Amino acid sequence: MAPPRSFLWSRRIFLTLLTGFVLVPVYVMVSSSLKPLADVSGKFRWVPSGLTIRPYIDIWSTVPLARYFVNSLIVAGAATVCSVVIAVFAAYAVSRYEFRGKRTFTVTVLSTQMFPGILFLLPLFLIYVNIGNATGIALFGSRGGLILTYLTFSLPFSIWMLIGYFDSVPRDLDEAALVDGCGPLGALFRVVVPAAIPGIVAVAVYAFMTAWGEVLFASVMTNDTTRTLAVGLQGYSTLNNVYWNQIMAASLVVSVPVVAGFLLLQRYLVAGLTAGAVK
C-alpha cells in the first residue's frame, strides 16, 4: 500500500528544513572564509561583495598551522592504532574464552563511559607530573602523554563494541581454523579479523574522531610545540583582533581529513555500528 500524499509531503518538508539547517552553517563558513576581514567583521551579507583566497594563504603564517596539523595527525593516528590493536585482543579474549572476572571486566569497561571526561583531567595531570618527577619520563606536555590520555576515552568503547561484533562471528569459523592447523592467534588474524573488518573500521573511525577534535585535555596536556589543531585554532584570536575569515578557512582545512575518511569508510562504518548495536 502506498503511503498517503500528506505523509510524503510532510516528509519532504521535514527533510528540506533539516537539510537547510545543516547546510546554512556550512555556507556561512565557506562564504566567510572567502571574504576580506573587513567584510567579515562588518554587517553579514548572504551574498559576498568580493571574494578572495587570501585567508587560505594567511592561515599558515598567522599561526604555525602546519605544526599543529602534524601533531594532530601523529596523536590521532597513534591513538587510533593503539586503540584498535588493544581492543581486538581484549574483545577476542572476552568473546571466545571464559575466565574468572570476565563479567566484572566487561561491566567495568562499560561503566567508564558513564563519567564525564573532565573528572579525569586533574588525576591524569597529577599522575603525569609525578611520573615525570620520579622517572624523568616527560608525559605532561608530550605527544605520548596525550596519546595515553585519548586511549582512556576510546579504548573502553572500542572493546565493548568489538565484543558485540566478535560475538556475531560464528565460532564454527574459529573451530575450522583450529582444525586446519591454526593456533588461537592464527584463527584471530586469518579468520575472525577479516570477518570483522566493518566493526574494526567503525572502532578506528570513532577513535580517530575522538582524538582529532578533542579540546579540553589537549589545552591542558600540551605546550607550544605539541599543541594540536583543536587548540591551535585559538591562535587566530589575539588581543587586538579576531581573524574570523582565517578561523573559518582553517576550520574547513582541518575538517578535510575527517570528512574524506568518513566518506571513504562510510559503508564499513554503518555496517559495523549496526552489527554491534544489534548484537
Side-chain angles (χ1 to χ4, degrees):
M1 181 182 297
R5 293 179 59 87
S6 59
F7 173 78
L8 294 177
W9 278 105
S10 299
R11 185 175 62 179
R12 291 170 184 172
I13 294 173
F14 175 77
L15 292 178
T16 301
L17 293 176
L18 182 61
T19 302
F21 179 78
V22 174
L23 293 182
V24 166
V26 177
Y27 171 77
V28 172
M29 288 182 62
V30 174
S31 62
S32 299
S33 67
L34 295 172
K35 294 179 181 179
L37 181 59
D39 292 350
V40 181
S41 301
K43 183 179 179 180
F44 177 77
R45 296 180 179 178
W46 289 101
V47 180
S49 57
L51 299 178
T52 176
I53 62 171
R54 191 67 193 177
Y56 287 90
I57 300 175
D58 294 338
I59 57 175
W60 305 99
S61 57
T62 303
V63 300
L65 188 65
R67 184 174 66 198
Y68 299 156
F69 198 92
V70 172
N71 289 337
S72 291
L73 282 179
I74 294 175
V75 171
T80 300
V81 172
C82 294
S83 180
V84 169
V85 171
I86 297 174
V88 165
F89 285 106
Y92 183 73
V94 174
S95 175
R96 291 300 193 264
Y97 298 99
E98 295 295 333
F99 54 88
R100 179 177 297 180
K102 175 180 175 179
R103 181 175 178 81
T104 303
F105 172 77
T106 55
V107 172
T108 302
V109 167
L110 184 61
S111 64
T112 58
Q113 302 299 300
M114 298 189 305
F115 302 99
I118 194 172
L119 291 180
F120 302 101
L121 180 60
L122 182 58
L124 285 174
F125 173 80
L126 295 176
I127 290 172
Y128 288 175
V129 171
N130 290 331
I131 289 177
N133 294 334
T135 64
I137 300 175
L139 292 177
F140 176 73
S142 67
R143 295 170 180 166
L146 196 59
I147 293 170
L148 291 176
T149 301
Y150 290 154
L151 283 178
T152 62
F153 305 147
S154 61
L155 194 55
F157 178 82
S158 301
I159 293 174
W160 184 262
M161 182 174 176
L162 283 183
I163 289 174
Y165 203 91
F166 285 168
D167 286 343
S168 67
V169 178
R171 295 176 181 264
D172 295 342
L173 296 178
D174 302 48
E175 297 174 358
L178 295 176
V179 171
D180 289 340
C182 292
L185 291 180
L188 170 63
F189 290 110
R190 294 185 180 184
V191 177
V192 178
V193 168
I197 287 297
I200 294 175
V201 170
V203 166
V205 171
Y206 167 78
F208 185 86
M209 293 182 64
T210 300
W212 185 263
E214 201 278 328
V215 177
L216 176 62
F217 285 84
S219 62
V220 176
M221 299 293 185
T222 59
N223 51 34
D224 292 337
T225 58
T226 59
R227 191 166 295 162
T228 59
L229 282 171
V231 182
L233 292 179
Q234 300 176 4
Y236 293 105
S237 177
T238 64
L239 294 176
N240 300 323
N241 208 345
V242 180
Y243 300 97
W244 292 110
N245 54 347
Q246 295 187 37
I247 292 177
M248 298 296 103
S251 299
L252 290 172
V253 170
V254 302
S255 64
V256 168
V258 176
V259 174
F262 179 82
L263 293 177
L264 291 174
L265 302 174
Q266 183 179 11
R267 62 190 183 98
Y268 296 106
L269 179 63
V270 174
L273 290 175
T274 302
V278 172
K279 187 62 180 179

